[in-house]
Amino acid sequence: FILSLATAKDGAVYAGTFRGGVFRTRDEGKTWQPVNAGLKRFEVKALLVSGEELYAGTGDGVYRLNEAGDRWSVVTSGLDDILV
């Protein structure tokens, strides 16, 4: 199940899913690739693009995507057991 969608400034579309994590397409949906490195849980309820940054709200907090390495990092340090 797709729970959220976001479009980045470069035209990439991201889909947050119920149990599959985040998927990205750069060819208008013809192909999709998983972008899940660094996520602890693959239930992605919210996606947000802010400037050049992409954020994902998950079952254990908020993550930011490092585009260069396609790796998610936690940005809710200090807030334990956060369900977004």
Side-chain angles (χ1 to χ4, degrees):
F1 294 104
I2 294 175
L3 301 175
S4 56
L5 290 169
T7 304
K9 287 188 175 187
D10 67 359
V13 177
Y14 292 85
T17 67
F18 181 59
R19 291 197 178 141
V22 178
F23 290 83
R24 175 179 56 213
T25 182
R26 290 189 168 146
D27 58 9
E28 300 178 349
K30 294 175 186 159
T31 60
W32 293 84
Q33 297 79 34
V35 185
N36 293 323
L39 290 178
K40 290 181 185 175
R41 294 189 185 172
F42 288 174
E43 183 177 349
V44 179
K45 296 185 176 193
L47 290 171
L48 170 71
V49 174
S50 178
E52 300 293 324
E53 305 287 342
L54 176 66
Y55 295 88
T58 74
D60 68 340
V62 178
Y63 290 78
R64 179 177 51 232
L65 182 64
N66 175 342
E67 280 284 335
D70 274 348
R71 183 166 188 81
W72 296 94
S73 58
V74 177
V75 294
T76 50
S77 296
L79 298 173
D80 296 331
D81 298 323
I82 298 299
L83 172 62
V84 178

